Amino acid sequence: MGWFGQPGNPGINEGLGRYLAHSTLRASVATSRWGALVIITSSLAGSWLVIFMAGGADSMVPHLYYVPILFAAARFGPVAALVVACIAGILAGPLTYVDVAQATTQDPARWLTRTGYFIGIGQLMAWLVGPSLIPITEEIRRLRKEREIRKGLANGEFFLQYQPVYSLADDSYPVVEALIRWQHPVQGHQSPAGFMATAEECHLIHEITDFVLDEACRQASQWRKLAWARNQTPWAVAVNISGRNLELPDLATRVRKTLERHDLPPELLHIEVTESALALENSAFQLRQLKKLGICLAIDDFGTGYSSLSYLNRFPADTLKIDRSLIATLSPDKSSQALARGMILLARSMGMTTVAEGIENGTQLKVGRALEFDYAQGYHLSRPMDAGDIPAFLLADELPPEQSEKRDRL
Ligand code: C2E
Ligand code: MG
Ligand code: MG
């Protein structure tokens, strides 16, 4: 529905008024703090100068002062409106002659009454726009972030780190999970929690996934050659995709083309989707298309959402990754293990392997082993690391001494 006098909508004037109010508010909120201070100061000074040049308070009504007062109210709220209204009251009162030529001062009752009007109107404005400020501020913050992400993608500020996934059965690291990072030029290193939600709200999540897929496949293909040269089994790379990516009708085609571009066999690519994405319409079809390519599919963060068993039945997943919130509750006490044991049995009965996510200490690893998880992942085994550090960690003959020791202890 448009705003301009359509059935059930406010009339054209009201609609236009609301539009103008909204855009003015957006413009004022979008102005930076320093920019807003410059606007307020210069319009206070400008108002004083114009009235002085016009000949004094008797020659011109001081309505110009409402501009900085209303702006301060919209941009900063009631306290700023009060301060600016008082400054305007003084500028338009004791500091402005009634008649500049004759240097006659104003009657205090007159300028005090005017200051009262300034304060009243400023407070009214702040009160009226206050409730709209929060959503508009949020919207502007999101738009700014969106712009920064787009710029970051264009400037190559995003990169991947990789966290090895440990096989409890054969003491190896057959998979590394690609995790996106952002080296923000001002805010520094940012993890996905700082930008994925914004990227998911707009189409940028598709560009991010394209980047991650491409870079992870390129890297995996390079590692594959390296592993071959050392006569070792190449490791697979796991890529996280967002639920929003499942809306892309050509997702499977994009993945296939990326594999072809980097000459990577599909079995060396794993794709992880969170449990919550499975509830989306069309996700079963999309995942089946991906599965047809020959890649491995994993359900990520299982145990945080609805943990619906019917989802598991509908999706052609190979692996179930049990969320670290559940792993954190594991202790040698049998009662703490019941849920995890149930999930492992369920996954196994459906032909899926299981990963214990977020293993942070030796006790959790021991319990995970006793419960017969197939794989484990977590800081205790290895933190996410730069691509350049992965071969040294995974190619046994190149293991640095402290990592060899750690592996011996597992
Ligand atoms: P995830 O896919 O479950 O990835 C594991 C997250 O847990 C990573 O956080 C990893 O650094 C962290 N982690 C691993 N071991 C431990 C541990 O022992 N303790 C604790 N406390 N944390 C551990 P990160 O990199 O911040 O990623 C968070 C989430 O962001 C990921 O969860 C994934 O859902 C999403 N994500 C990361 N990279 C991408 C990406 O390229 N694309 C998409 N769509 N999502 C991504
Ligand atoms: Mg994951
Ligand atoms: Mg996870």
Side-chain angles (χ1 to χ4, degrees):
M1 281 281 207
W3 282 354
F4 300 108
Q6 287 174 12
N9 267 357
I12 187 160
N13 284 346
E14 206 184 322
L16 190 61
R18 207 187 316 148
Y19 170 74
L20 286 175
H22 188 81
S23 1
T24 312
L25 263 185
R26 275 193 54 179
S28 65
V29 176
T31 315
S32 73
R33 211 167 267 269
W34 289 110
L37 282 176
V38 169
I39 291 174
I40 292 168
T41 317
S42 56
S43 49
L44 278 172
S47 305
W48 183 87
L49 195 66
V50 169
I51 294 169
F52 180 85
M53 308 268 277
D58 259 1
S59 318
M60 194 174 175
V61 193
H63 284 172
L64 284 175
Y65 284 105
Y66 284 115
V67 174
I69 296 169
L70 297 181
F71 191 87
R75 178 63 181 79
F76 297 111
V79 178
L82 178 67
V83 172
V84 176
C86 290
I87 296 172
I90 293 167
L91 284 173
L95 297 185
T96 300
Y97 292 124
V98 176
D99 183 336
V100 175
Q102 313 220 341
T104 40
T105 53
Q106 288 185 56
D107 170 15
R110 188 176 159 198
W111 69 259
L112 279 173
T113 312
R114 195 188 304 120
T115 308
Y117 277 121
F118 284 165
I119 293 174
I121 300 261
Q123 294 305 299
L124 184 68
M125 173 75 167
W127 179 73
L128 285 175
V129 303
S132 318
L133 278 184
I134 297 166
I136 292 172
T137 311
E138 270 309 303
E139 185 190 336
I140 285 161
R141 194 170 295 147
R142 191 181 60 73
L143 288 173
R144 265 200 205 126
K145 187 113 207 187
E146 197 180 313
R147 218 174 28 230
E148 284 181 16
I149 297 175
R150 186 170 293 117
K151 217 166 102 190
L153 280 166
N155 293 346
E157 292 163 11
F158 288 88
F159 65 100
L160 301 182
Q161 283 197 315
Y162 298 86
Q163 186 178 34
V165 180
Y166 178 68
S167 162
L168 289 162
D170 53 12
D171 182 28
S172 66
Y173 288 94
V175 185
V176 292
E177 178 172 3
L179 298 162
I180 193 163
R181 305 284 180 255
W182 183 9
Q183 190 59 42
H184 191 282
V186 181
Q187 289 154 24
H189 187 94
Q190 300 222 1
S191 65
F195 58 88
M196 284 310 264
T198 308
E200 280 179 356
E201 281 169 28
C202 57
H203 69 276
L204 284 171
I205 188 62
H206 303 312
E207 286 184 39
I208 287 186
T209 299
D210 280 346
F211 160 74
V212 175
L213 256 176
D214 189 71
E215 176 56 16
C217 289
R218 184 197 66 75
Q219 188 60 76
S221 181
Q222 214 178 69
W223 283 332
R224 177 176 173 241
K225 289 176 195 138
L226 198 67
W228 267 355
R230 305 290 170 94
N231 220 8
Q232 302 235 356
T233 317
W235 51 93
V237 69
V239 166
N240 292 281
I241 64 166
S242 144
R244 290 269 334 253
N245 296 135
L246 297 176
E247 293 166 6
L248 282 176
D250 63 341
L251 178 65
T253 314
R254 287 179 187 219
V255 173
R256 178 177 54 75
K257 284 187 175 160
T258 313
L259 287 168
E260 285 168 3
R261 191 163 51 249
H262 297 291
D263 192 23
L264 188 72
E267 61 275 15
L268 290 187
L269 176 65
H270 294 198
I271 284 192
E272 300 188 0
V273 270
T274 54
E275 191 194 348
S276 52
L278 303 184
L280 302 171
E281 204 185 324
N282 216 21
S283 55
F285 172 77
Q286 289 281 37
L287 294 177
R288 270 194 285 274
Q289 296 298 103
L290 286 173
K291 188 75 192 125
K292 273 189 202 155
L293 298 174
I295 64 173
C296 289
L297 284 182
I299 297 175
D300 207 351
D301 303 344
F302 189 75
T304 48
Y306 294 106
S307 307
S308 166
L309 305 185
S310 71
Y311 288 157
L312 293 187
N313 230 353
R314 277 170 50 207
F315 296 99
D318 305 279
T319 302
L320 196 63
K321 298 188 77 169
I322 312 288
D323 189 69
R324 71 163 186 269
S325 55
L326 218 131
I327 301 301
T329 63
L330 289 183
S331 74
D333 173 15
K334 289 265 188 274
S335 63
S336 74
Q337 304 168 6
L339 199 52
R341 182 172 285 117
M343 286 181 177
I344 294 168
L345 283 176
L346 177 78
R348 197 165 292 153
S349 70
M350 297 176 122
M352 287 188 273
T353 56
T354 48
V355 182
E357 290 193 284
I359 294 281
E360 289 186 343
N361 54 53
T363 313
Q364 286 169 356
L365 185 65
K366 220 178 248 170
V367 176
R369 214 187 268 282
L371 284 171
E372 297 183 12
F373 270 100
D374 299 294
Y375 302 95
Q377 181 178 3
Y379 294 165
H380 178 67
L381 295 149
S382 159
R383 287 194 171 252
M385 50 181 124
D386 291 336
D389 297 330
I390 287 285
F393 190 82
L394 295 193
L395 295 172
D397 56 331
E398 281 190 11
L399 271 186
E402 73 280 9
Q403 282 171 6
S404 311
E405 277 166 29
K406 192 168 178 184
R407 237 163 88 157
D408 293 343
R409 271 190 274 122
L410 296 174

